Amino acid sequence: MKMSLNEIGGLAKKAARGAGLPWGLSEEAADATRWLSAHGFDGPATLASELRHNDRVAYSELAPRLDAGPWRAADRAMCPLIAGATLADHAYLLAEGNDIVLGRVSYPALLVPFASRAAHALGVTLQMSWPACQLYFSPEGGMFQDEGANPGTEEADGVTCTRIEALPPGIASCRPVADPDVATPTLTFLNALAARTCVPTSDTSRLRGAGAGLSDND
Amino acid sequence: MQNLLETPAGPITRRPPEVVMKLARLGALHQSRLSFMRQLLRRLKREQWQFLRPVWAIDDQGVGRAVYTARGPQRSYSLVAFSHDLDPALRSDRVIATAWDATFAVYDGVPDEAELDRLEANVPKQEAGRVSPHELSLARANRSVRLFEHVVQALSQGHQPDIERIEEVGYLMRTTAVYGSGKFGAADREDIRSRPELSGPFQVEMLAVFLIRAFTLDLVEHLARARAPHTAVALQPEIRRRFGVGNSTGLGLAPFLINHPVLLNNWILARETALQRVRTVRHPSATEQAVFCDFVQRAHRDAQQWRSDHEAQAPRIERLQRDFVSLQQRIDEGALSREHPWDALYRWAEDTLSLEGQEQLVSLLLEPYGDLVDALGDTMSADEQDAFMIQGAMRLGALRQILETHYRWVSDIDFSDKRNQALFWYVSEEKLEPRVGQRFVEPGQELEQPLAVARDIHRLQQALGSCSDEQRVAHFLLDHPEHRHAVRRVQRAVHHPYAEIQDNLIGQDMLPVDLLRCKLAFFGATRFDPRSDRWVRINMYKNAPMPVELQDSLADDWSYPHTSDKENRCEDVA
């Protein structure tokens, strides 16, 4: 089904919340999913895969620990939405010339929008890479990638984010794409998660919750 | 953008957020020059838009389809209307309705037969159908049971409908939703906002309603002719203009202001900037004074026709009418014969008039000053993305400073008192209808929507409690992800002082209608008629020229009827 970016964002936010993320991170999920769809990726499908994988898993198991060495969660691969938000929050480290290195993270494509936002917010060029995938972000937030780079893997172990001086010459840009098409199974799953954020109806709710009784005829 | 918001230097400043952003005041706002309907009509006239009706395929029962096309200098937009035979038992304004008297889409261009057929298969289903990026808006409307039949009957018998009855209701049909911005498959706002004619807020929706108005009037005349072809007459133009389009708004719209803080900030900032500029005027010209006085009288007269049965609104209208008497007296006593009369008048109003009266005066003060005010319309759009990103580098000391400067009002609320947490906002499983519930009485609070801003800020402050000033926000949020939403709002406040409604949105006495009215006033609505504390009826475009009359009328002089019932004429008024 063709969906507008606005719809994709709205659904993503509710689905993320339904899967257990707090509202602030659900907002980030919405922004990231929208970004992916606007740049030719299947944002909803990627989000659905991630949320299915980490449905109702506690934040503490999915969040990075920032002690020495690469960021890692306790046992599982990190959730890319949480890791991505943390990355964006710590982008000042990149501005200061430090690398940010992540250990295992699931569905790393969801990190990409955060890197784009960080590059734009800082006004710098960033490189983000993991095995077999090199991506670059301009100060305008545009995304560029090496030939054959495929961000769409289920997991990456070792994601490095670095500030670089300039984009490599001749690199191909990722042009924004319109008119996202969302597959039915993806939609069904995300809607099911989103439905968890709704309160089941009742007579009291129907009569009093919206304030107009059953009829507003004049 | 910064240049557009320039204000004169001096002691008269914009009203501060702690004055303006109170829910009770926002709930007393009136339409003004900056209202989106008025911005639209000024543009349509300035750019000499043409209006055609390429399709009218409605049968004698009033069922069928019609197309109204607005042709601008670069692009055309068409309202596609489907008129239905609705079983009265199904007529409902609620989100949970599934059938309507009329359904609409705004098409990006002029649709051919194939497109009309596609729309016919989907638009009448509204949320249950899908539209495409060729559609910019989706809407539906129901008839006024009180007035619609009366008008058809009167016209069919060869006479004009009763003015009293028209004024009592004010519209033939009432929209119950006007969707835009990517809803149900329609075009995203990003796709259209670079078009000058659509860059202002809600211009598509305002255009949709403007054309729906024409449709409702054509429909009654058509039905009158069908009923009695030999005796039926058309509406006289002056009477025709008395009909606006009603609108029935409930909680679906209420979260909007909270969820679009940058937009809200920009709307309020534009209005407050306009007010400051006018207050700074030292010696208004005779024309400016005359325009102001004329509008005071016209608005007074309009207030006398404003009806509401609502127990809270009715006394407010009465008080507003008394405020007008006081205001007129003040003017008669020479309030304008001094330097800075507008500033003096405003300060007097702040001490003397009700909130309705004060905000009515604010709107009236802007009327003579199109040259100072109208360009501010260009500052009233927003990209929420601008203020979305968390600034992780900020230290908690700085965050605390922002809280101290912008959120002191939160400390005035005692959240240990249950009354201050009495309500919760939620979305019902039933057609995703937004509702407000009683937290300690009904189930569902664990599914609460993130609209309890003050309480969430309060919780943030508690969590910040013992943290060091030196700690970064990034570190804090890693440990406390549940406060991310609140931190985002707080950081946004620095550059958007009017982004936050400074009241408790979950307190027992919170009135959702105040949220609705604020947004609707910016649309340009009048005749606010609350049906409950969370449902309001309004009128849009009442007394405005019809599309085909724009060329020969004043496009922006219709918000209050003329005191002498004169037709609008083309004059050189400010």
Side-chain angles (χ1 to χ4, degrees), chain B residues 67-70 75-80 106-112 134 136 195:
Chain B
V67 177
Y68 291 75
T69 298
R75 278 165 287 266
S76 293
Y77 301 92
S78 298
L79 178 81
V80 179
V106 174
Y107 184 85
D108 191 10
V110 186
D112 60 20
H134 291 297
L136 307 181
R195 305 180 189 182

Side-chain angles (χ1 to χ4, degrees), chain B residues 97-345:
Chain B
T98 55
W100 301 268
D101 284 308
T103 54
F104 309 92
V106 174
Y107 184 85
D108 191 10
V110 186
D112 60 20
E113 279 293 304
E115 288 288 65
L116 286 175
D117 290 342
R118 172 178 64 82
L119 292 172
E120 184 156 353
N122 282 279
V123 169
K125 298 179 189 166
Q126 294 286 292
E127 296 94 339
R130 292 295 293 174
V131 289
S132 77
H134 291 297
E135 284 72 65
L136 307 181
S137 178
L138 188 69
R140 70 284 194 109
N142 283 331
R143 295 180 188 178
S144 162
V145 168
R146 292 177 286 170
L147 192 57
F148 197 92
E149 171 56 29
H150 165 72
V151 175
V152 173
Q153 186 64 2
L155 292 177
S156 71
Q157 290 172 343
H159 47 259
Q160 298 294 306
D162 180 53
I163 302 245
E164 270 288 308
R165 289 184 71 161
I166 298 172
E167 290 301 321
E168 198 186 313
V169 178
Y171 52 80
L172 290 165
M173 294 185 85
R174 185 174 66 246
T175 53
T176 65
V178 181
Y179 295 117
S181 299
K183 303 267 164 57
F184 312 112
D188 278 302
R189 178 147 173 79
E190 282 73 10
D191 298 341
I192 59 173
R193 69 172 172 209
S194 59
R195 305 180 189 182
E197 67 272 18
L198 300 183
S199 59
F202 292 98
Q203 295 298 280
V204 171
E205 292 87 340
M206 297 299 104
L207 178 63
V209 176
F210 189 50
L211 297 175
I212 288 172
R213 179 175 177 238
F215 165 77
T216 65
L217 290 156
D218 288 352
L219 184 62
V220 287
E221 290 179 349
H222 170 88
L223 288 171
R225 275 194 304 275
R227 186 175 295 184
H230 300 297
T231 52
V233 296
L235 286 160
Q236 281 167 8
E238 190 275 328
I239 293 180
R240 213 166 200 265
R241 282 190 293 273
R242 288 174 178 268
F243 292 93
V245 175
N247 177 269
S248 190
T249 304
L251 288 176
L253 200 112
F256 184 90
L257 297 180
I258 306 146
N259 288 331
H260 294 82
V262 179
L263 197 62
L264 175 62
N265 175 79
N266 292 355
W267 294 356
I268 301 284
L269 179 59
R271 188 165 184 269
E272 294 305 315
T273 303
L275 175 62
Q276 188 204 3
R277 288 179 181 177
V278 173
R279 285 170 68 182
T280 312
V281 171
R282 202 162 154 199
H283 293 297
S285 70
T287 306
E288 287 160 4
Q289 290 183 43
V291 168
F292 175 74
C293 292
D294 183 44
F295 269 98
V296 169
Q297 287 177 7
R298 288 162 60 180
H300 184 182
R301 188 155 176 272
D302 196 59
Q304 285 163 335
Q305 292 172 344
W306 183 2
R307 289 165 178 74
S308 175
D309 294 329
H310 192 252
E311 61 186 13
Q313 187 62 36
R316 283 169 61 153
I317 298 173
E318 273 178 55
R319 175 69 204 272
L320 175 65
Q321 290 166 355
R322 293 202 298 279
D323 283 347
F324 268 111
V325 173
S326 304
L327 175 62
Q328 190 61 61
Q329 202 173 329
R330 189 90 182 159
I331 295 169
D332 293 342
E333 286 165 0
L336 305 192
S337 311
R338 50 160 291 166
E339 280 192 358
H340 294 117
W342 310 129
D343 180 56
L345 207 49

